[in-house]
Amino acid sequence: MLKKQMEQYITEAFAQDAEKIELLSIEKNYAEKHDLIPAQVKVIEKPANSRFENAYLERCAKATVDLLLVETPNFLDDQIEHFKKRPEEFLYLESPLFSILGVDAVSLELDDVFGTYTAMFGLKLQKKFGPLIKAYLDTHLTGEEGKYSVAFSEKDGLWDMNFALSYAKGFAEDMTIREAYNLIYAFIFTLLEEVEETE
């Protein structure tokens, strides 16, 4: 699970540079807690806003899922309000960073029914963890309606998930899209950490 994926990420980073490794604060804390960093390696805390620089982004039409535009990572510096101004769009983002989470890509849109900013993704996690996933979402999302939807796909072996980012701690209406993706990343990371500890 998370520990195995973090070990793999650190091993790959170590193979590229045997002296230092760059990690987000949340990753650094986890790696230190689980003793995953070789003693001779210096950990550099990477600023969250520097992540997703090598991401692949598509703006798509919600009604048809047709591609509207391939964006550069600079688009992530736009305000999240972009989706309020263009509620017919969603953003699809792929990043190698998501491999730590067991996620390939995360989409972001404004929910038509509840008016919340919603993150959607497939999570590689066994079916047996369903109750723990739902307990985490119930505990960490504040809204009353439309907080989340989770369903296990037997075909793909994935949890098809979406959650209202608007209801997550740390969300702000004036945040950038990059800040929203950093919050999504931290939210899923913490979810996996809690599931792992409860297992």
Side-chain angles (χ1 to χ4, degrees), residues 28-190:
K28 178 178 177 277
N29 293 341
Y30 180 89
E32 288 173 348
K33 181 179 174 182
H34 295 279
D35 200 26
L36 302 179
I37 302 164
Q40 73 275 26
V41 177
K42 181 182 178 185
V43 177
I44 296 169
E45 212 165 294
K46 194 165 186 176
N49 64 1
S50 67
R51 288 297 180 101
F52 303 116
E53 285 307 310
N54 56 353
Y56 173 76
L57 295 82
E58 290 182 354
R59 281 167 55 191
C60 303
K62 279 173 27 179
T64 60
V65 198
D66 287 343
L67 172 67
L68 301 174
L69 192 64
V70 173
E71 286 284 0
T72 68
N74 290 338
F75 177 69
L76 297 173
D77 296 319
D78 284 7
Q79 297 295 304
I80 195 172
E81 188 184 32
H82 170 91
F83 300 105
K84 257 190 185 154
K85 293 176 181 173
R86 295 177 180 82
E88 73 283 357
E89 286 184 16
F90 72 90
L91 179 65
Y92 170 87
L93 186 148
E94 281 181 12
S95 170
L97 177 63
F98 288 140
S99 65
I100 292 172
L101 307 176
V103 170
D104 291 328
V106 176
S107 295
L108 182 63
E109 69 176 31
L110 187 75
D111 185 276
D112 296 327
V113 177
F114 300 105
T116 54
Y117 294 101
T118 301
M120 300 161 291
F121 53 94
L123 181 64
K124 293 176 189 142
L125 206 56
Q126 291 172 297
K127 186 177 183 179
K128 67 179 181 178
F129 295 117
L132 294 175
I133 292 170
K134 291 172 187 173
Y136 177 87
L137 295 170
D138 282 330
T139 305
H140 291 84
L141 297 171
T142 59
E144 293 301 316
E145 292 186 305
K147 288 202 292 189
Y148 66 85
S149 169
V150 294
F152 188 76
S153 167
E154 297 283 358
K155 181 183 172 188
D156 302 324
L158 294 174
W159 282 98
D160 293 322
M161 296 183 60
N162 67 59
F163 71 90
L165 185 65
S166 303
Y167 297 153
K169 185 180 178 183
F171 176 81
E173 288 283 346
D174 63 348
M175 70 192 335
T176 64
I177 298 169
R178 186 187 305 275
E179 288 169 333
Y181 270 95
N182 284 329
L183 183 58
I184 292 165
Y185 180 86
F187 188 89
I188 301 170
F189 193 101
T190 308

